[in-house]
Amino acid sequence: MRTAVLVGALALAAVTGTTSAVAAPAAAAPAAVAVKDPTPGPVTTPDPSALTSLAYETVAYGQQRRQDMDVWWNADGEQRPGIFLIHGGWWSAGDKRQMTTIARGYADLGYTVFNLNYRLSGQAAWPAQRTDVLAAIQLARKHAERWGFDMKNFVVVGFSAGGHLAASVGTYGDGMNGLKGVVGLSPIVSPLRAYTDGAVSTDPYKRRLRAAAIKLAGGCEPKGRCSRVWASMEVAWHASRHDAPMLTVHSDDEFVPPAQSQLLKQMLGQVGVPVTVITAPGTAHSAPLYRLPGIAEQVHQWIADRLGGQL
């Protein structure tokens, strides 16, 4: 473990009011058209100018590359609700640095925050990514006292492909002890729907998402023996009555449409688990969607309601 360093709290306004640079695409679109990546690039962490009780360290939760996470906590001895953040990037790119500003913002609100990296699809196929998130949660439980983490009271928040991982954890097994909610910003709830949509669409993002889903499945399409892998990737197909409530947010016209979450709402609703789907006008995706006026505030309030009014 790296030695913990004290850092200054970041104002909440920085979470929603700062526009990040856009990253270059990790791979070309299936069509012969250059596609600009709609997910944000890494955010440089500023050096703290003041010492506060907010502490930070980076730890490994596994032995392989990218199995690490940043932990932000209030070093005052109190046990606080936790938030696990999962970045996006087509399952094949991205980094936890994209979430640094958001992580610090939630820590400033009083939560213990775990900002995760995970093995990308070029390194390991599904379900390695879900396994990594579960391993990170397990390590957080193991060191709950050190990080002031209330292991019986936490949520998982994911962006785009990270939203798929968050939702997959939310429907893994028959519920998880302590998990009080899952939030997805433009979550890819159904890789199978993305595969189908991308096959007929001229939208380069949808075509690229189809290719990304195939890569996540280990390079195979949803047929034959590979059907089991794709079935495992489908969030809604694993709904059970002890799953955590979910909140998803989409833009009306983005390439990960609200229809993805409507199926999840239907399937979880059949077993009595509430799903709230928020839609916003336009095409904003992932973190840019989160920064639209009012969206972050709605997400914060939903999380606070699940975690006992911490906001």
Side-chain angles (χ1 to χ4, degrees):
M1 290 187 181
R2 297 182 184 175
T3 304
V5 294
L6 296 177
V7 299
L10 189 67
L12 177 60
V15 177
T16 58
T18 303
T19 302
S20 303
V22 178
V33 179
V35 181
K36 189 176 181 181
D37 197 332
T39 58
V43 177
T44 302
T45 306
D47 290 332
S49 58
L51 297 181
T52 72
S53 62
L54 189 61
Y56 160 87
E57 66 182 348
T58 297
V59 299
Y61 60 80
Q63 297 182 351
Q64 297 191 44
R65 180 169 54 90
R66 293 190 58 85
Q67 290 182 320
D68 62 350
M69 62 183 175
D70 299 334
V71 186
W72 302 78
W73 76 98
N74 287 270
D76 54 10
E78 294 186 17
Q79 300 293 106
R80 297 171 179 268
I83 294 180
F84 291 81
L85 290 175
I86 311 175
H87 71 81
W90 312 93
W91 298 289
S92 62
D95 189 271
K96 59 184 170 60
R97 289 176 295 168
Q98 296 170 207
M99 298 287 101
T100 296
T101 301
I102 294 174
R104 292 184 66 177
Y106 278 117
D108 189 40
L109 288 174
Y111 299 104
T112 295
V113 182
F114 304 90
N115 185 15
L116 278 58
N117 266 340
Y118 52 89
R119 284 172 289 174
L120 301 177
S121 57
Q123 180 182 357
W126 182 264
Q129 296 71 28
R130 182 180 63 194
T131 298
D132 284 356
V133 177
L134 294 171
I137 294 173
Q138 182 60 30
L139 184 70
R141 285 174 166 154
K142 181 177 181 180
H143 298 286
E145 184 175 354
R146 169 180 175 79
W147 292 321
F149 169 47
D150 180 0
M151 70 177 74
K152 297 181 180 179
N153 203 21
F154 65 92
V155 299
V156 181
V157 181
F159 292 71
S160 191
H164 171 251
L165 303 187
S168 295
V169 166
T171 59
Y172 184 71
D174 187 18
M176 178 184 295
N177 184 36
L179 179 58
K180 298 300 178 65
V182 171
V183 178
L185 280 300
S186 304
I188 306 163
V189 173
S190 174
L192 189 58
R193 172 68 182 266
Y195 172 87
T196 303
D197 288 351
V200 297
S201 177
T202 59
D203 184 334
Y205 291 154
K206 289 188 177 182
R207 292 169 65 87
R208 181 178 176 184
L209 184 57
R210 181 179 192 267
I214 294 172
K215 186 174 182 179
L216 179 66
C220 61
E221 300 189 25
K223 53 188 176 182
R225 288 181 296 177
C226 205
S227 296
R228 292 186 178 182
V229 177
W230 284 80
S232 176
M233 287 158 44
E234 287 296 296
V235 176
W237 294 3
H238 302 280
S240 56
R241 66 189 184 94
H242 293 127
D243 291 340
M246 295 196 190
L247 169 69
T248 66
V249 187
H250 296 265
S251 292
D252 287 328
D253 298 314
E254 66 164 301
F255 67 96
V256 183
Q260 290 228 3
S261 287
Q262 292 299 337
L263 175 61
L264 178 65
K265 183 175 183 177
Q266 177 185 350
M267 297 296 287
L268 279 173
Q270 290 177 1
V271 294
V273 178
V275 176
T276 301
V277 181
I278 295 175
T279 59
T283 61
H285 173 77
S286 191
L289 170 61
Y290 183 75
R291 290 195 295 267
L292 291 180
I295 296 298
E297 290 79 4
Q298 291 183 74
V299 172
H300 294 167
Q301 188 59 60
W302 190 91
I303 290 173
D305 291 343
R306 304 286 84 70
L307 297 181
Q310 183 70 15
L311 182 63

mmCIF file of all heavy atoms in Angstrom, residues 137-166:
data_model
loop_
_atom_site.group_PDB
_atom_site.id
_atom_site.type_symbol
_atom_site.label_atom_id
_atom_site.label_comp_id
_atom_site.label_asym_id
_atom_site.label_seq_id
_atom_site.Cartn_x
_atom_site.Cartn_y
_atom_site.Cartn_z
ATOM 1 N N ILE A 137 -14.743 -4.896 -3.731
ATOM 2 C CA ILE A 137 -15.693 -4.764 -2.612
ATOM 3 C C ILE A 137 -15.254 -5.631 -1.441
ATOM 4 O O ILE A 137 -15.328 -5.219 -0.279
ATOM 5 C CB ILE A 137 -17.110 -5.132 -3.085
ATOM 6 C CG1 ILE A 137 -17.613 -4.109 -4.107
ATOM 7 C CG2 ILE A 137 -18.069 -5.213 -1.897
ATOM 8 C CD1 ILE A 137 -18.934 -4.480 -4.758
ATOM 9 N N GLN A 138 -14.765 -6.832 -1.742
ATOM 10 C CA GLN A 138 -14.310 -7.721 -0.677
ATOM 11 C C GLN A 138 -13.127 -7.124 0.079
ATOM 12 O O GLN A 138 -13.064 -7.195 1.315
ATOM 13 C CB GLN A 138 -13.920 -9.078 -1.273
ATOM 14 C CG GLN A 138 -13.478 -10.114 -0.244
ATOM 15 C CD GLN A 138 -14.556 -10.437 0.775
ATOM 16 O OE1 GLN A 138 -15.744 -10.367 0.481
ATOM 17 N NE2 GLN A 138 -14.140 -10.786 1.989
ATOM 18 N N LEU A 139 -12.182 -6.513 -0.639
ATOM 19 C CA LEU A 139 -11.042 -5.890 0.038
ATOM 20 C C LEU A 139 -11.499 -4.704 0.886
ATOM 21 O O LEU A 139 -10.988 -4.491 1.995
ATOM 22 C CB LEU A 139 -10.010 -5.426 -0.987
ATOM 23 C CG LEU A 139 -8.728 -4.850 -0.374
ATOM 24 C CD1 LEU A 139 -7.905 -5.950 0.296
ATOM 25 C CD2 LEU A 139 -7.880 -4.139 -1.427
ATOM 26 N N ALA A 140 -12.449 -3.946 0.384
ATOM 27 C CA ALA A 140 -12.971 -2.822 1.163
ATOM 28 C C ALA A 140 -13.589 -3.308 2.471
ATOM 29 O O ALA A 140 -13.420 -2.670 3.517
ATOM 30 C CB ALA A 140 -14.007 -2.061 0.336
ATOM 31 N N ARG A 141 -14.275 -4.417 2.419
ATOM 32 C CA ARG A 141 -14.848 -4.990 3.639
ATOM 33 C C ARG A 141 -13.748 -5.415 4.619
ATOM 34 O O ARG A 141 -13.846 -5.206 5.824
ATOM 35 C CB ARG A 141 -15.729 -6.182 3.284
ATOM 36 C CG ARG A 141 -17.069 -5.803 2.676
ATOM 37 C CD ARG A 141 -17.817 -7.039 2.228
ATOM 38 N NE ARG A 141 -19.216 -6.755 1.954
ATOM 39 C CZ ARG A 141 -19.958 -7.451 1.125
ATOM 40 N NH1 ARG A 141 -19.431 -8.468 0.447
ATOM 41 N NH2 ARG A 141 -21.227 -7.138 0.922
ATOM 42 N N LYS A 142 -12.709 -6.010 4.057
ATOM 43 C CA LYS A 142 -11.616 -6.512 4.899
ATOM 44 C C LYS A 142 -10.943 -5.384 5.664
ATOM 45 O O LYS A 142 -10.523 -5.563 6.820
ATOM 46 C CB LYS A 142 -10.600 -7.253 4.030
ATOM 47 C CG LYS A 142 -9.436 -7.844 4.807
ATOM 48 C CD LYS A 142 -8.503 -8.619 3.883
ATOM 49 C CE LYS A 142 -7.341 -9.229 4.644
ATOM 50 N NZ LYS A 142 -6.427 -9.983 3.745
ATOM 51 N N HIS A 143 -10.822 -4.214 5.034
ATOM 52 C CA HIS A 143 -10.137 -3.084 5.660
ATOM 53 C C HIS A 143 -11.113 -1.956 6.007
ATOM 54 O O HIS A 143 -10.750 -0.782 5.993
ATOM 55 C CB HIS A 143 -9.046 -2.569 4.730
ATOM 56 C CG HIS A 143 -7.980 -3.582 4.437
ATOM 57 N ND1 HIS A 143 -7.020 -3.950 5.366
ATOM 58 C CD2 HIS A 143 -7.731 -4.326 3.327
ATOM 59 C CE1 HIS A 143 -6.225 -4.860 4.845
ATOM 60 N NE2 HIS A 143 -6.635 -5.106 3.607
ATOM 61 N N ALA A 144 -12.347 -2.341 6.326
ATOM 62 C CA ALA A 144 -13.390 -1.349 6.607
ATOM 63 C C ALA A 144 -13.014 -0.428 7.757
ATOM 64 O O ALA A 144 -13.273 0.782 7.708
ATOM 65 C CB ALA A 144 -14.710 -2.064 6.909
ATOM 66 N N GLU A 145 -12.380 -0.968 8.770
ATOM 67 C CA GLU A 145 -12.028 -0.139 9.932
ATOM 68 C C GLU A 145 -10.986 0.905 9.553
ATOM 69 O O GLU A 145 -11.083 2.076 9.942
ATOM 70 C CB GLU A 145 -11.503 -1.014 11.066
ATOM 71 C CG GLU A 145 -11.196 -0.233 12.340
ATOM 72 C CD GLU A 145 -10.801 -1.135 13.498
ATOM 73 O OE1 GLU A 145 -10.878 -2.375 13.347
ATOM 74 O OE2 GLU A 145 -10.415 -0.598 14.560
ATOM 75 N N ARG A 146 -10.004 0.519 8.762
ATOM 76 C CA ARG A 146 -8.957 1.455 8.353
ATOM 77 C C ARG A 146 -9.533 2.625 7.573
ATOM 78 O O ARG A 146 -9.145 3.783 7.772
ATOM 79 C CB ARG A 146 -7.913 0.728 7.503
ATOM 80 C CG ARG A 146 -6.922 1.677 6.817
ATOM 81 C CD ARG A 146 -5.890 0.941 5.983
ATOM 82 N NE ARG A 146 -5.049 1.862 5.245
ATOM 83 C CZ ARG A 146 -4.024 2.536 5.764
ATOM 84 N NH1 ARG A 146 -3.738 2.386 7.044
ATOM 85 N NH2 ARG A 146 -3.309 3.361 5.019
ATOM 86 N N TRP A 147 -10.460 2.303 6.651
ATOM 87 C CA TRP A 147 -10.977 3.331 5.753
ATOM 88 C C TRP A 147 -12.277 3.976 6.240
ATOM 89 O O TRP A 147 -12.894 4.746 5.498
ATOM 90 C CB TRP A 147 -11.180 2.727 4.364
ATOM 91 C CG TRP A 147 -9.892 2.357 3.699
ATOM 92 C CD1 TRP A 147 -8.711 3.051 3.732
ATOM 93 C CD2 TRP A 147 -9.635 1.208 2.887
ATOM 94 N NE1 TRP A 147 -7.742 2.419 3.003
ATOM 95 C CE2 TRP A 147 -8.275 1.278 2.458
ATOM 96 C CE3 TRP A 147 -10.403 0.123 2.457
ATOM 97 C CZ2 TRP A 147 -7.689 0.312 1.644
ATOM 98 C CZ3 TRP A 147 -9.827 -0.831 1.640
ATOM 99 C CH2 TRP A 147 -8.482 -0.738 1.249
ATOM 100 N N GLY A 148 -12.676 3.662 7.467
ATOM 101 C CA GLY A 148 -13.899 4.262 7.978
ATOM 102 C C GLY A 148 -15.107 3.923 7.122
ATOM 103 O O GLY A 148 -15.963 4.769 6.866
ATOM 104 N N PHE A 149 -15.192 2.677 6.697
ATOM 105 C CA PHE A 149 -16.210 2.235 5.745
ATOM 106 C C PHE A 149 -17.270 1.399 6.447
ATOM 107 O O PHE A 149 -16.968 0.399 7.091
ATOM 108 C CB PHE A 149 -15.530 1.424 4.637
ATOM 109 C CG PHE A 149 -16.465 0.674 3.729
ATOM 110 C CD1 PHE A 149 -17.581 1.291 3.188
ATOM 111 C CD2 PHE A 149 -16.210 -0.644 3.378
ATOM 112 C CE1 PHE A 149 -18.442 0.601 2.347
ATOM 113 C CE2 PHE A 149 -17.047 -1.339 2.536
ATOM 114 C CZ PHE A 149 -18.174 -0.719 2.012
ATOM 115 N N ASP A 150 -18.531 1.815 6.316
ATOM 116 C CA ASP A 150 -19.653 1.050 6.833
ATOM 117 C C ASP A 150 -20.022 -0.001 5.794
ATOM 118 O O ASP A 150 -20.725 0.284 4.824
ATOM 119 C CB ASP A 150 -20.843 1.985 7.108
ATOM 120 C CG ASP A 150 -22.051 1.241 7.653
ATOM 121 O OD1 ASP A 150 -21.977 0.004 7.817
ATOM 122 O OD2 ASP A 150 -23.085 1.902 7.892
ATOM 123 N N MET A 151 -19.526 -1.213 5.977
ATOM 124 C CA MET A 151 -19.702 -2.261 4.983
ATOM 125 C C MET A 151 -21.150 -2.707 4.819
ATOM 126 O O MET A 151 -21.479 -3.428 3.878
ATOM 127 C CB MET A 151 -18.820 -3.470 5.324
ATOM 128 C CG MET A 151 -19.267 -4.229 6.554
ATOM 129 S SD MET A 151 -18.235 -5.694 6.863
ATOM 130 C CE MET A 151 -16.747 -4.933 7.488
ATOM 131 N N LYS A 152 -22.013 -2.266 5.701
ATOM 132 C CA LYS A 152 -23.433 -2.616 5.599
ATOM 133 C C LYS A 152 -24.237 -1.537 4.888
ATOM 134 O O LYS A 152 -25.472 -1.596 4.870
ATOM 135 C CB LYS A 152 -24.009 -2.874 6.988
ATOM 136 C CG LYS A 152 -23.384 -4.052 7.717
ATOM 137 C CD LYS A 152 -24.012 -4.270 9.084
ATOM 138 C CE LYS A 152 -23.375 -5.464 9.792
ATOM 139 N NZ LYS A 152 -23.973 -5.676 11.147
ATOM 140 N N ASN A 153 -23.541 -0.569 4.294
ATOM 141 C CA ASN A 153 -24.248 0.579 3.745
ATOM 142 C C ASN A 153 -23.440 1.198 2.593
ATOM 143 O O ASN A 153 -22.660 2.117 2.808
ATOM 144 C CB ASN A 153 -24.474 1.615 4.854
ATOM 145 C CG ASN A 153 -25.622 2.544 4.572
ATOM 146 O OD1 ASN A 153 -26.515 2.249 3.784
ATOM 147 N ND2 ASN A 153 -25.614 3.690 5.218
ATOM 148 N N PHE A 154 -23.643 0.698 1.372
ATOM 149 C CA PHE A 154 -22.880 1.243 0.241
ATOM 150 C C PHE A 154 -23.668 1.127 -1.054
ATOM 151 O O PHE A 154 -24.638 0.368 -1.161
ATOM 152 C CB PHE A 154 -21.516 0.555 0.105
ATOM 153 C CG PHE A 154 -21.573 -0.920 -0.235
ATOM 154 C CD1 PHE A 154 -21.530 -1.353 -1.556
ATOM 155 C CD2 PHE A 154 -21.644 -1.879 0.774
ATOM 156 C CE1 PHE A 154 -21.562 -2.705 -1.871
ATOM 157 C CE2 PHE A 154 -21.685 -3.230 0.463
ATOM 158 C CZ PHE A 154 -21.639 -3.647 -0.857
ATOM 159 N N VAL A 155 -23.232 1.907 -2.056
ATOM 160 C CA VAL A 155 -23.810 1.845 -3.398
ATOM 161 C C VAL A 155 -22.679 1.680 -4.403
ATOM 162 O O VAL A 155 -21.513 1.952 -4.099
ATOM 163 C CB VAL A 155 -24.637 3.107 -3.747
ATOM 164 C CG1 VAL A 155 -25.805 3.276 -2.794
ATOM 165 C CG2 VAL A 155 -23.756 4.346 -3.769
ATOM 166 N N VAL A 156 -23.036 1.239 -5.612
ATOM 167 C CA VAL A 156 -22.087 1.117 -6.707
ATOM 168 C C VAL A 156 -22.577 2.011 -7.837
ATOM 169 O O VAL A 156 -23.747 1.944 -8.232
ATOM 170 C CB VAL A 156 -21.956 -0.341 -7.198
ATOM 171 C CG1 VAL A 156 -20.933 -0.428 -8.322
ATOM 172 C CG2 VAL A 156 -21.565 -1.262 -6.051
ATOM 173 N N VAL A 157 -21.689 2.853 -8.360
ATOM 174 C CA VAL A 157 -22.038 3.825 -9.397
ATOM 175 C C VAL A 157 -21.129 3.591 -10.611
ATOM 176 O O VAL A 157 -19.901 3.594 -10.469
ATOM 177 C CB VAL A 157 -21.867 5.272 -8.900
ATOM 178 C CG1 VAL A 157 -22.264 6.268 -9.989
ATOM 179 C CG2 VAL A 157 -22.689 5.508 -7.633
ATOM 180 N N GLY A 158 -21.726 3.390 -11.777
ATOM 181 C CA GLY A 158 -20.934 3.127 -12.977
ATOM 182 C C GLY A 158 -21.340 4.004 -14.133
ATOM 183 O O GLY A 158 -22.496 4.419 -14.248
ATOM 184 N N PHE A 159 -20.381 4.273 -15.017
ATOM 185 C CA PHE A 159 -20.579 5.130 -16.173
ATOM 186 C C PHE A 159 -20.386 4.321 -17.453
ATOM 187 O O PHE A 159 -19.334 3.709 -17.648
ATOM 188 C CB PHE A 159 -19.596 6.307 -16.145
ATOM 189 C CG PHE A 159 -19.863 7.289 -15.035
ATOM 190 C CD1 PHE A 159 -19.616 6.969 -13.708
ATOM 191 C CD2 PHE A 159 -20.375 8.552 -15.324
ATOM 192 C CE1 PHE A 159 -19.864 7.869 -12.684
ATOM 193 C CE2 PHE A 159 -20.626 9.468 -14.314
ATOM 194 C CZ PHE A 159 -20.373 9.130 -12.994
ATOM 195 N N SER A 160 -21.415 4.293 -18.322
ATOM 196 C CA SER A 160 -21.347 3.616 -19.611
ATOM 197 C C SER A 160 -21.007 2.133 -19.424
ATOM 198 O O SER A 160 -21.783 1.406 -18.798
ATOM 199 C CB SER A 160 -20.346 4.328 -20.515
ATOM 200 O OG SER A 160 -20.431 3.865 -21.841
ATOM 201 N N ALA A 161 -19.870 1.655 -19.939
ATOM 202 C CA ALA A 161 -19.487 0.268 -19.717
ATOM 203 C C ALA A 161 -19.349 -0.031 -18.228
ATOM 204 O O ALA A 161 -19.657 -1.138 -17.773
ATOM 205 C CB ALA A 161 -18.185 -0.040 -20.444
ATOM 206 N N GLY A 162 -18.898 0.958 -17.463
ATOM 207 C CA GLY A 162 -18.854 0.799 -16.012
ATOM 208 C C GLY A 162 -20.235 0.653 -15.407
ATOM 209 O O GLY A 162 -20.413 0.005 -14.367
ATOM 210 N N GLY A 163 -21.241 1.268 -16.056
ATOM 211 C CA GLY A 163 -22.617 1.089 -15.614
ATOM 212 C C GLY A 163 -23.079 -0.342 -15.806
ATOM 213 O O GLY A 163 -23.853 -0.873 -14.996
ATOM 214 N N HIS A 164 -22.609 -0.982 -16.877
ATOM 215 C CA HIS A 164 -22.907 -2.401 -17.082
ATOM 216 C C HIS A 164 -22.313 -3.240 -15.952
ATOM 217 O O HIS A 164 -22.976 -4.138 -15.405
ATOM 218 C CB HIS A 164 -22.342 -2.871 -18.427
ATOM 219 C CG HIS A 164 -22.407 -4.347 -18.621
ATOM 220 N ND1 HIS A 164 -21.278 -5.145 -18.603
ATOM 221 C CD2 HIS A 164 -23.456 -5.182 -18.812
ATOM 222 C CE1 HIS A 164 -21.630 -6.410 -18.786
ATOM 223 N NE2 HIS A 164 -22.949 -6.459 -18.921
ATOM 224 N N LEU A 165 -21.076 -2.929 -15.557
ATOM 225 C CA LEU A 165 -20.451 -3.688 -14.475
ATOM 226 C C LEU A 165 -21.180 -3.462 -13.157
ATOM 227 O O LEU A 165 -21.404 -4.401 -12.381
ATOM 228 C CB LEU A 165 -18.983 -3.288 -14.343
ATOM 229 C CG LEU A 165 -18.108 -3.453 -15.589
ATOM 230 C CD1 LEU A 165 -16.650 -3.184 -15.253
ATOM 231 C CD2 LEU A 165 -18.279 -4.820 -16.199
ATOM 232 N N ALA A 166 -21.554 -2.208 -12.888
ATOM 233 C CA ALA A 166 -22.274 -1.905 -11.648
ATOM 234 C C ALA A 166 -23.597 -2.664 -11.595
ATOM 235 O O ALA A 166 -23.936 -3.289 -10.576
ATOM 236 C CB ALA A 166 -22.515 -0.398 -11.543
#
